[in-house]
Amino acid sequence: MLSIRPFTRLFAANHLIAQRVRACPYSTAPEVEQGTSAVEEITVEAASNTPPQILQQLSQSTTPSESIYPFRITRTNSGNLPVYQEEKKHGSWKRTRIRRIAGDIDALKDLMARGLKLDSGDLMVNMRTRHLLIRGHRRTEVLQYLKELGA
């Protein structure tokens, strides 16, 4: 037959420890005026220590999440852009693949067609895998253009 007593003792001990922690007379949190939080106090203090020129540059700069394009190409784990060259049928069938596209792929397709001066038939979108396929080996051109766009 199982006894419930050891569990009740364990619960009672944890309950007493929790009461001691709550009743602790000292705190490690910094003293803060009433009406402001510690985070606001630290942020204001850090902002007062930085020169105004740096604050102005930080407020004017755009973050990577605030892109002007409706798509985003995330980089690989090694920090490279996911642009790959493929070759099949003994080298007679060549294409370039752009992977890891989030957002509007059609907008990227139109932008690449204009930027690389390609026909619309040279660019294909695979909506299932969300890849952009370009006819021919154009990896260097695509990488250069994507870096100009800020990807």
Side-chain angles (χ1 to χ4, degrees):
M1 182 165 204
L2 294 173
S3 170
I4 301 177
R5 293 190 97 178
F7 294 112
T8 56
R9 285 186 194 150
L10 182 63
F11 175 74
N14 286 340
H15 183 67
L16 290 173
I17 291 171
Q19 282 181 349
R20 279 191 214 132
V21 170
R22 273 190 244 125
C24 185
Y26 55 90
S27 173
T28 58
E31 294 282 328
V32 180
E33 295 178 17
Q34 193 170 11
T36 62
S37 68
V39 175
E40 291 173 354
E41 187 78 18
I42 292 169
T43 306
V44 170
E45 184 180 322
S48 64
N49 292 338
T50 56
Q53 296 87 10
I54 295 173
L55 289 175
Q56 185 178 10
Q57 289 174 355
L58 288 174
S59 65
Q60 290 176 353
S61 68
T62 59
T63 60
S65 62
E66 296 176 3
S67 177
I68 59 172
Y69 302 108
F71 58 85
R72 184 186 51 178
I73 300 173
T74 57
R75 292 183 177 255
T76 61
N77 291 336
S78 59
N80 298 322
L81 286 168
V83 179
Y84 306 99
Q85 290 185 161
E86 299 173 349
E87 188 173 296
K88 291 185 180 178
K89 298 182 182 177
H90 304 289
S92 63
W93 184 82
K94 298 176 183 179
R95 70 178 176 187
T96 306
R97 179 183 297 261
I98 303 173
R99 299 178 58 228
R100 299 179 140 212
I101 304 168
D104 191 4
I105 297 178
D106 292 324
L108 175 62
K109 177 183 173 182
D110 295 339
L111 197 64
M112 294 296 282
R114 278 188 271 130
L116 299 176
K117 298 179 179 85
L118 300 171
D119 295 331
S120 61
D122 291 340
L123 293 146
M124 296 157 280
V125 175
N126 187 336
M127 293 304 284
R128 182 173 295 225
T129 59
R130 299 189 62 80
H131 294 175
L132 180 64
L133 307 169
I134 303 169
R135 185 174 293 154
H137 281 178
R138 301 178 183 272
R139 184 175 191 272
T140 54
E141 298 169 30
V142 170
L143 285 174
Q144 182 181 1
Y145 187 66
L146 288 175
K147 287 178 183 177
E148 287 174 7
L149 292 178

